[in-house]
Structure formats: structure tokens, C-alpha cells
Amino acid sequence: MTTSPLQIAVIPVTPLQQNCSLIWCTKTMRGAFVDPGGDLPKLRAAIAKTGVTIEKILITHGHIDHCGEAGVLADELGVPIEGPHEADRFWIARLDEDGRNYGIRGVPFEPTRWLVEGDSVTVGALTLAVRHCPGHTPGHVIFHHAGARVALVGDVLFQGSIGRTDFPLGNHQDLITSIVTKLWPLGDDTVFIPGHGSPSDFGTERRYNMFVSDAALAA
């Protein structure tokens, strides 16, 4: 029996039930939070339970439920923030305003590193590829670990649905293009963790997702 080099614990946070993921390298027990939008006591408890040493924070995009308290947590843990793409600077700059509107704490921050298409990020001994997937927001990125055949896709794609594009700077056609050209080539057997709801795999979505199935896009 082999142990996957990558482990993931999904921790829903904020009233919007956003899937924050604690990912870690089983070889080194070093890890990262992906999209720690809030509920920091839950995240501290996950660190204590797993025994993982957090070395960075990864952000898929600048919406408040995904990164409202990312800067606070990064300061607390003394770790860098990587992501999203700089096109989401607009969203990160307005986190405090959006926080007041949603009743969620939002604190603007400056990522240590903005990410672009073709970049990679490391977590322990793991390397994850970065894909720029605009549409839901202009600076949205996703993280893919080829060995584990897992992708963390934020709000690009959901089980049976796709990300909203009616927010400022959203673009429906860009989102469809991102899914078809950036996600589908990763393989039908790739499991994805979405920003909300249950995991699925790309093959299932290509067959049954009413928005982006092969049949729907061919119609």
C-alpha cells in the first residue's frame, strides 16, 4: 500500500461555506492553506490536529470568502502568500469594503508573490503547477499536482455547475475558455476540489455538467 505524497483536508469557512484546503506533503509534513478566507480558530485547530507545519498560504482569487483573513493568518504564522494573478488586485484592495457588506472580516494584503500562467509553487517536497483561469475573476488561478492527479480550482468549476460571472470584471466566455483549455487537458481522472460544495472529477463534469459538458458545448 502506497501513501499519496499529497494529503488534503477541506475545512469549510465563513458563512458562505467556502472550501479552505489544508494541503501537505506527507514526506516532510510541511503544508499550506489554500484560500483561508476566515474562521481562523478552525484553521488553527486543523494545524494542531494534523501536526502540519504551515510554510505558506496559496490564494486562487481575490473574493472575500477565499482570502478575507489570509493576510491576518500570514502575519500570525509568519509565512508568505502566493497568488493570485495580479489582475485580482482590484478585489484584494476592496476586501474591507466587501467585508462590511457581507458581515465577514476582510483585510487587504499584498501577496508576497503574484502568480502567472506556467508558474509553479512548492509545498514541502511537492510541486504544484499554476494555471491562470480568468472568468470568475480576471486573476483567478488554479493549482494542479500531476502525481496525485488533484486540482484545487477555486470558483472556476463546481460539481454540476460553474463559477458566477456576474460580479465586476467577470466574463462568461473567458470562464468557459479557461475550463476547456486549462482544466480538461489535465485529464478526465483528475479530481478537483472546488471553492464550494463537493469534489468531483473532470471526466464526470465533461459528461454531465449542463454548462460545460462536451454535449452542451457542441450544441
Side-chain angles (χ1 to χ4, degrees), residues 14 16-20 34-35 59-67 88 102 133-137 139-143 151-159 161-167 171 175-176 178-179 183 192-197:
T14 83
L16 300 175
Q17 290 295 285
Q18 189 277 128
N19 288 334
C20 172
V34 181
D35 290 354
I59 302 295
T60 63
H61 67 291
H63 283 166
I64 188 164
D65 51 327
H66 291 257
C67 67
D88 268 15
Y102 282 96
C133 295
H136 178 65
T137 68
H140 201 304
V141 298
I142 67 106
F143 303 100
L152 299 111
V153 304
D155 287 356
V156 174
L157 180 70
F158 302 111
Q159 182 187 62
S161 189
I162 59 175
R164 291 175 59 175
T165 54
D166 57 334
F167 293 120
N171 185 293
L175 182 68
I176 300 302
S178 291
I179 292 169
L183 300 189
F192 68 91
I193 310 296
H196 304 265

Side-chain angles (χ1 to χ4, degrees), residues 14-111:
T14 83
L16 300 175
Q17 290 295 285
Q18 189 277 128
N19 288 334
C20 172
S21 292
L22 170 57
I23 67 173
W24 69 94
C25 166
T26 55
K27 180 179 179 181
T28 63
M29 291 303 290
R30 298 183 69 82
F33 280 116
V34 181
D35 290 354
D39 290 337
L40 299 190
K42 284 187 180 180
L43 306 188
R44 296 185 195 105
I47 296 173
K49 181 177 180 179
T50 58
V52 170
T53 299
I54 301 298
E55 63 180 19
K56 66 183 59 173
I57 289 170
L58 303 175
I59 302 295
T60 63
H61 67 291
H63 283 166
I64 188 164
D65 51 327
H66 291 257
C67 67
E69 291 198 73
V72 176
L73 184 61
D75 288 345
E76 179 183 305
L77 297 177
V79 300
I81 298 175
E82 299 184 8
H85 184 286
E86 194 169 3
D88 268 15
R89 184 183 285 277
F90 164 86
W91 283 105
I92 294 172
R94 55 181 277 173
L95 284 172
D96 52 353
E97 176 187 344
D98 286 343
R100 288 192 294 273
N101 291 337
Y102 282 96
I104 303 171
R105 187 181 185 196
V107 181
F109 61 92
E110 179 77 14

Side-chain angles (χ1 to χ4, degrees), residues 6 23-25 30-35 55-60 80-85 111-132 141-147 150-152:
L6 168 66
I23 67 173
W24 69 94
C25 166
R30 298 183 69 82
F33 280 116
V34 181
D35 290 354
E55 63 180 19
K56 66 183 59 173
I57 289 170
L58 303 175
I59 302 295
T60 63
I81 298 175
E82 299 184 8
H85 184 286
T112 312
R113 176 191 177 201
W114 297 103
L115 298 173
V116 299
E117 175 74 20
D119 275 349
S120 61
V121 296
T122 58
V123 178
L126 304 172
T127 300
L128 290 85
V130 175
R131 297 284 179 264
H132 180 209
V141 298
I142 67 106
F143 303 100
H144 174 238
H145 189 269
V150 170
L152 299 111

